[in-house]
Amino acid sequence: MVLVKEAGHHLAALVFVLAAGCDGGEPVVGGPQGSDPGVVIPGALVGRTWPVLMADEAIRAPFEQHPGWAALVMQRDHPGALAAFSAEPALPAGQARVHAELAASYRQAALLAAQATVQVWAEERREEDPPEVDCLVGLSQIILAQDTAIASLTACTANVSGPIAEEATAWLAWKQAGAAEALAQPFAATPGHPPAPVVGGLPDVSALPVYILHDRVEAREIPAASPMTLVALAGYHESAAVLALGGEASIPALLLAPWRLPMELVPALPAGTLPIEQLFGSPLLVAEDAGFLADLSHGQGLAAVSEWKDRSALAAAIGPCVDLAARTVDPACAVERAGRAFEQVRAAMEIKSGGEQGYHRPFAEMARLGVVRAAEMAAAAAGDEKPMGLLRLSGIDLSLGAAAEPHYLLSIAAWDAHNKNSSRASETLHAQIGHIPGVEVARFPLDALHVRLSRESAPGVPMH
Amino acid sequence: MGRSRHLLIAAGLSAAVLSTGAALTYYEGSLPTTLNPLYAAKMVDYRAQELVFDRLWYHSPINNELESKLVASWEMTDGGKGIKLELVSGIKWHGGEPFTADDVCFTVKAMLDPGTPSPIAEAYRDILAGCTVEGRSTAVVHFTRFVHNPRERLGFAVLPEGAFEGNTAISPDLEFSARPSGTGPMKGSRGTRGVTFQSFANAQHNPQIAQMQLQESGDPLLGIKALINNSVQGIIEVAPNFRADVSSSDELALKSYDLRSWWFVAINTKKAPLDDRRVRQALNFMLDRTELREKSIGVKPGERNSPCEFISGPFVPSSPYYNRSVPAVERSDLAQAEALLKEAGMEKVGGRWQFKGQPISLRMGMEKSLDNEAPDILSYISNQFEAAGIGSQVYKIPPDNWTTEAITGHLTDYDLLVGKWSFGQVEDVNELYYTRSRGKGTRNIFNYSDPEVDRLLAQYDAAKIDTAARDAYHKLHAKLAEDLPYLFLWKLDTKSAWRNEVKSNTIAPYFYFTQFDAWRYEG
């Protein structure tokens, strides 16, 4: 993470490097893990999970008393939480957490916009589509780390003029330079890029620039926006998270590792550990779970499961469901063990509290969701698509109420857009509009995709 | 102690002793009207048919890939105006006869036969031109024009030629509608109290559940109790009011069911004084949707992540066809309503509105099963009209009557009908608003007719490009919000509840049981 200073203002920017295979780990060959030891999470780790720690009233009290945590954890109201954490006296750990989660959400919204753009205007392109879609496709292909970006952006700059072409030109230059340069220049050409990051700040996105394109046949308007605007917002919030922690970048880096875009390469696995403020109300149960997921998504890949099983509650929970040799994940096993993790955590909370309390269940449910999501990430790392899909469906079912994390749901929507499941992607994105300011930018290509797919589907009639 | 807690305790007393054995039972709001896929009119019909039949192509509920259990390979023919299908061998109909290319072409021809009065077939007539058998397992389906992604267009269920003795004019009331023969994972039989499904192992199916019963649910509270007690193992649609009960049970799972559904009050625009747009607009302002939603659905004002969102037109708000510049009416505005009624010549006497010297009293109906999802909604609407000075009588309509009379435009003695429409990927609303004639407007409840609306619907039909279709529907939305053949209420998410003994129960968007082969029941 660097802050690039240019023309008298800070431009929050991430160091993006050409992604050369995000899962840098070598395939690990080995037999299936051992049989079920009887408990899902080893006893010592269960006691360190945040739900069980929170069963101690002294630890829980500061969280209960601060309205920022209620807004963030129980309502997933990020603007509300950020305002509460920024009220004097500010709580930097809370601010950093919200900024990091917003950075994750904007990344996933950018991914959603990119996937939808490529699906509708590259995969399903029609003669009526305006020439500017080359520009949007090219920008999206950069986000997706696709080499075809250069051809798309070249076509754009050859046939299109105006602001959208200027943006494309800047990104084409960046890509042609090996995508190793800092992002100051292309972001400067990205419309609506946010101002210098401020801790507690939420950039005004009420008037994000919109490109109005016109189809080639009837010249009807097609609203569009640059997906890079969302990437820039992600950069803003990541920078703000770092600033909130006094320049300490490792914590946001750990939190964000699973949510980074294909265009990003994490140069080295982030070190460091997470304090409870960064775990509370999240699917990360112990501090080491963040390192495990980072390693799983951007390090060793599937081999991380055995590497971390003694330190990470999530790795321990999913371990017996992962066959390293076959590079597969058993989704039924993972869902079953997630249910047992729920019971185990809830029981440990009850013992610690001396009885059942109202918050035990929702906290334990987050533990269950954490296990399912970790298994899903393991399946993704293994390239085991069907189990990954099944686990995602389970993840959706478990993301209810307080467990509905916007960045996770947006990541599912991005996957849906890639799969041309525009109905569910639209519904998921719609639910986040109003919660995460500005994510409606992703709606333009998704709407276009949905109209196109629905018009080319088997006929349907309304059903009662 | 909340209701949920009571339920759980009550359930705990009997859960251990009640068992359904190997057979699995689930509740629907009503029984299917028909098991014949050509005549599905309700979602329960589609869901039941999905167990009995195979559609030529379908989308995987896991990754949305286009898949077929019937077609082994395919290729384009006729410059993109046809598709040649090589069928999977060894598939049998539930009656034991082999599945062949004759069946595929018979289905296409039945849909094209004007003697088949099916709205679903009618929808296919725009795209299908015919079908040629080129061998026992080879068929060529012809399109009326070049189509992108031809397989996407072939989402119909295949019917057995033998069951109809080759007669392609298929009527809705054949024995086949109750005891069909399909190639799907279950053989279905509809009785008066439910539908029985028996597993049928086939070349392309290997269902893990031997027997399943579809039963009609009654009171939703009793339904949830039955689920907790393990008297039934699943409920397809759980009312929002009861979802917390499911979530708080260790033995149940709440499952997402992707369905685009919106609710409405259809207005009989042929009957005075409702034929006056101003009266309809007045009714629109009399409804306090926020209060209705709170009382019936249980959503508090300002609640985040509500399963229920107000609408101003005939689409769900997440849809690109939804015109976001048309605001929804969320609160009543009785002053506006009063002004409109006076302008329309109504008089208020003793707190009651009168038309031509007679107090206005509206006859309101609703399909009975909707009460399960939005309890007492009909009474709440009636109370709001009553409080605003409009009398009403309310009636619950049996599901079969809804299908045979309301949808077909025969309940014209009613003034208002409360209903719900559900959609999948396709959000074509033309059948709801087209003037009923020559196969159009087949679901136009009160035979509404407006030339401007017809023009916009025709624009949508004729649109050659996406933006033209989108623009036509945006204009339609604005027009309907002004003309109000419907009072638009809300979209409502759908959730199912299943006992945890039911495993691997992936729910497909819209069709529900697409992935049924993987379902297991460990009861």
Side-chain angles (χ1 to χ4, degrees):
Chain A
M1 156 76 61
V2 291
L3 296 179
V4 181
K5 207 170 189 178
E6 186 179 90
H9 68 277
H10 287 93
L11 174 66
L14 312 174
V15 177
F16 289 81
V17 184
L18 178 66
C22 292
D23 177 357
E26 290 292 312
V28 175
V29 178
Q33 300 225 331
S35 60
D36 189 342
V39 291
V40 174
I41 303 170
L45 283 176
V46 171
R48 288 175 44 220
T49 62
W50 69 260
V52 178
L53 291 173
M54 285 290 169
D56 181 335
E57 198 172 342
I59 295 176
R60 194 175 69 253
F63 292 88
E64 281 181 334
Q65 288 158 10
H66 200 296
W69 293 115
L72 179 66
V73 172
M74 301 315 290
Q75 297 174 8
R76 303 296 167 189
D77 173 6
H78 286 75
L82 192 56
F85 285 132
S86 301
E88 290 299 331
L91 187 60
Q95 291 172 306
R97 170 81 178 275
V98 178
H99 280 304
E101 291 198 3
L102 284 169
S105 289
Y106 285 117
R107 276 183 171 81
Q108 296 310 304
L111 190 62
L112 166 58
Q115 296 285 19
T117 299
V118 167
Q119 290 305 320
V120 66
W121 287 317
E123 301 278 329
E124 298 293 338
R125 187 158 182 169
R126 302 286 177 265
E127 287 177 1
E128 74 238 33
D129 292 333
E132 291 91 343
V133 300
D134 279 329
C135 316
L136 298 168
V137 167
L139 296 172
S140 298
Q141 288 166 332
I142 283 185
I143 290 171
L144 299 171
Q146 294 176 353
D147 290 338
T148 44
I150 289 178
S152 301
L153 292 171
T154 302
C156 159
T157 53
N159 301 311
V160 174
S161 59
I164 195 168
E166 288 164 22
E167 184 187 359
T169 301
W171 283 103
L172 177 60
W174 179 80
K175 185 80 176 171
Q176 284 174 327
E181 303 295 320
L183 291 163
Q185 277 197 316
F187 271 142
T190 298
H193 66 77
V198 175
V199 178
L202 204 57
D204 179 13
V205 292
S206 58
L208 281 179
V210 172
Y211 296 125
I212 300 296
L213 317 181
H214 295 87
D215 71 71
R216 291 176 191 262
V217 178
E218 299 179 19
R220 291 172 185 270
E221 287 189 355
I222 303 172
S226 170
M228 289 300 181
T229 301
L230 295 165
V231 181
L233 283 165
Y236 174 95
H237 285 288
E238 184 171 353
S239 297
V242 174
L243 289 174
L245 296 171
E248 171 56 55
S250 66
I251 288 175
L254 270 170
L255 289 172
L256 286 170
W259 309 107
R260 294 206 179 273
L261 294 167
M263 72 188 287
E264 301 176 67
L265 182 67
V266 183
L269 268 188
T273 188
L274 295 181
I276 194 166
E277 289 87 350
Q278 306 304 329
L279 302 174
F280 173 51
S282 85
L284 303 172
L285 303 181
V286 297
E288 290 80 359
D289 287 338
F292 163 57
L293 295 183
D295 201 8
L296 191 59
S297 54
H298 288 286
Q300 299 184 68
L302 201 57
V305 177
S306 57
E307 174 76 23
W308 288 82
K309 65 181 167 47
D310 298 326
R311 291 173 284 161
S312 157
L314 296 178
I318 67 169
C321 308
V322 177
D323 185 333
L324 293 175
R327 292 185 69 78
T328 59
V329 176
D330 180 345
C333 164
V335 170
E336 151 84 16
R337 287 179 68 84
R340 288 165 59 191
F342 164 81
E343 293 296 348
Q344 201 183 342
V345 167
R346 190 164 68 161
M349 292 172 81
E350 264 189 59
I351 291 167
K352 195 158 183 177
S353 295
E356 190 183 347
Q357 306 252 348
Y359 64 86
H360 287 181
R361 185 179 187 93
F363 286 6
E365 281 173 348
M366 288 181 198
R368 170 160 52 191
L369 176 59
V371 174
V372 168
R373 281 169 49 172
E376 172 199 322
M377 287 182 60
D384 202 1
E385 186 151 333
K386 191 177 170 193
M388 181 190 75
L390 286 167
L391 288 162
R392 283 190 171 165
L393 296 182
S394 293
I396 292 171
D397 287 337
L398 295 174
S399 295
L400 293 172
E405 288 194 308
H407 53 280
Y408 175 67
L409 293 171
L410 286 167
S411 77
I412 302 274
W415 174 65
D416 280 334
H418 171 70
N419 291 335
K420 295 184 178 152
N421 186 350
S422 58
S423 289
R424 189 168 60 202
S426 300
E427 197 60 45
T428 305
L429 176 63
H430 179 76
Q432 298 309 324
I433 291 171
H435 293 205
I436 309 290
V439 291
E440 54 265 42
V441 160
R443 186 180 246 168
F444 299 122
L446 195 52
D447 277 0
L449 178 66
H450 185 69
V451 172
R452 184 150 295 171
L453 295 177
S454 68
R455 277 167 47 79
E456 295 178 2
S457 294
V461 292
M463 287 286 149
H464 183 65
Chain B
M1 187 181 282
R3 187 189 61 223
S4 133
R5 202 73 174 159
H6 283 300
L7 278 172
L8 293 174
I9 290 168
L13 296 176
S14 51
V17 292
L18 286 174
S19 170
T20 57
L24 184 154
T25 303
Y26 70 97
Y27 276 160
E28 287 272 15
S30 63
L31 298 184
T33 311
T34 174
L35 295 178
N36 182 340
L38 289 177
Y39 291 100
K42 300 188 295 183
M43 288 310 303
V44 59
D45 300 345
Y46 258 152
R47 288 188 287 264
Q49 291 160 10
E50 188 73 353
L51 288 163
V52 179
F53 294 90
D54 279 307
R55 286 176 287 131
L56 212 46
W57 264 284
Y58 62 93
H59 284 276
S60 160
I62 299 169
N63 59 9
N64 204 42
E65 264 181 32
L66 199 56
E67 297 176 351
S68 178
K69 289 195 182 298
L70 301 179
V71 180
S73 63
W74 61 277
E75 61 180 88
M76 297 301 303
T77 61
D78 196 16
K81 286 180 67 180
I83 184 168
K84 186 174 188 175
L85 315 175
E86 198 61 42
L87 303 179
V88 173
S89 59
I91 296 176
K92 291 192 184 310
W93 293 99
H94 293 157
E97 310 84 2
F99 163 72
T100 70
D102 288 331
D103 298 309
V104 174
C105 285
F106 168 77
T107 306
V108 171
K109 288 168 184 166
M111 289 198 290
L112 292 174
D113 191 327
T116 300
S118 153
I120 291 165
E122 178 70 33
Y124 273 97
R125 285 172 197 157
D126 178 51
I127 195 75
L128 292 178
C131 184
T132 311
V133 175
E134 291 196 349
R136 188 177 166 79
S137 62
T138 309
V140 180
V141 178
H142 307 286
F143 299 109
T144 53
R145 57 180 184 271
F146 169 81
V147 290
H148 292 287
N149 303 324
R151 292 177 302 150
E152 294 278 1
R153 309 286 184 147
L154 302 179
F156 55 82
V158 180
L159 302 173
E161 181 180 30
F164 300 93
E165 297 171 342
N167 181 0
T168 55
I170 296 177
S171 74
D173 49 2
L174 296 171
E175 172 70 6
F176 186 83
S177 298
R179 270 168 285 282
S181 177
T183 57
M186 304 298 269
K187 185 175 180 178
S189 174
R190 185 190 189 278
T192 52
R193 300 183 61 187
V195 180
T196 302
F197 299 99
Q198 298 280 351
S199 66
F200 187 88
N202 214 328
Q204 82 290 21
H205 288 293
N206 186 21
Q208 307 298 303
I209 294 174
Q211 191 177 9
M212 195 156 75
Q213 286 279 338
L214 181 166
Q215 291 180 3
E216 184 174 3
S217 62
D219 180 279
L221 176 62
L222 296 178
I224 293 290
K225 279 185 177 174
L227 185 68
I228 293 171
N229 286 337
N230 203 14
S231 305
V232 298
Q233 287 71 50
I235 298 177
I236 300 295
E237 292 173 324
V238 179
N241 282 337
F242 296 101
R243 291 176 189 174
D245 296 330
V246 176
S247 291
S248 61
S249 165
D250 290 346
E251 295 172 357
L252 310 178
L254 204 57
K255 308 276 289 181
S256 295
Y257 175 26
D258 293 333
L259 195 59
R260 297 186 152 208
S261 300
W262 49 265
W263 291 56
F264 60 89
V265 182
I267 302 180
N268 191 341
T269 57
K270 305 280 189 196
K271 273 179 83 174
L274 300 173
D275 56 348
D276 188 322
R277 178 196 295 180
R278 293 165 298 188
V279 177
R280 303 197 292 272
Q281 290 172 336
L283 293 181
N284 202 31
F285 284 121
M286 283 176 184
L287 282 187
D288 190 326
R289 290 164 171 81
T290 304
E291 185 190 75
L292 279 180
R293 186 174 68 168
E294 184 175 5
K295 286 186 168 171
S296 182
I297 312 282
V299 176
K300 306 278 182 296
E303 187 175 318
R304 295 172 69 87
N305 299 320
S306 158
C308 179
E309 189 175 357
F310 300 125
I311 56 172
S312 60
F315 306 100
V316 295
S318 64
S319 167
Y321 294 119
Y322 190 89
N323 186 338
R324 294 171 189 128
S325 69
V326 181
V329 177
E330 300 189 4
R331 285 287 188 187
S332 61
D333 185 340
L334 297 183
Q336 280 245 45
E338 194 155 327
L340 283 160
L341 288 177
K342 282 181 178 167
E343 197 184 313
M346 310 291 137
E347 246 191 318
K348 200 169 188 182
V349 179
R352 299 296 295 265
W353 286 100
Q354 293 194 349
F355 173 62
K356 293 184 176 172
Q358 294 297 315
I360 300 175
S361 184
L362 302 176
R363 182 177 163 86
M364 287 175 54
M366 180 179 81
E367 204 256 82
K368 199 177 93 182
S369 69
L370 293 186
D371 219 27
N372 295 346
E373 273 190 276
D376 301 321
I377 181 78
L378 198 54
S379 301
Y380 291 130
I381 292 174
S382 169
N383 291 346
Q384 289 191 351
F385 286 147
E386 192 76 38
I390 302 271
S392 61
Q393 315 95 52
V394 298
Y395 302 90
K396 289 185 184 165
I397 300 167
D400 282 358
N401 290 19
W402 182 271
T403 306
T404 55
E405 294 179 38
I407 291 176
T408 53
H410 291 105
L411 286 187
T412 50
D413 53 337
Y414 280 85
D415 297 295
L416 304 172
L417 286 171
V418 180
K420 171 180 93 163
W421 291 118
S422 296
F423 301 80
Q425 177 82 18
V426 178
E427 296 177 87
D428 188 329
V429 297
N430 286 19
E431 291 305 304
L432 307 181
Y433 302 111
Y434 252 133
T435 299
R436 254 184 209 275
S437 73
R438 287 174 295 180
K440 290 189 184 296
T442 54
R443 277 156 161 73
N444 187 339
I445 288 177
F446 281 125
N447 306 311
Y448 168 71
S449 178
D450 180 273
E452 171 66 5
V453 167
D454 283 345
R455 192 181 64 80
L456 291 170
L457 298 174
Q459 274 182 14
Y460 173 82
D461 274 343
K464 290 197 167 18
I465 58 173
D466 297 343
T467 42
R470 180 207 60 196
D471 289 353
Y473 266 4
H474 281 182
K475 286 178 187 165
L476 174 75
H477 180 150
K479 170 70 181 167
L480 294 175
E482 185 193 3
D483 204 37
L484 293 174
Y486 282 15
L487 306 178
F488 297 101
L489 295 179
W490 48 60
K491 72 101 189 184
L492 184 59
D493 288 350
T494 309
K495 298 275 185 194
S496 292
W498 287 91
R499 288 194 60 82
N500 288 337
E501 294 89 344
V502 183
K503 312 274 189 192
S504 301
N505 50 341
T506 299
I507 296 172
Y510 196 66
F511 293 98
Y512 208 91
F513 289 113
T514 307
Q515 202 71 15
F516 187 72
D517 283 2
W519 286 44
R520 289 180 291 115
Y521 177 43
E522 298 176 358

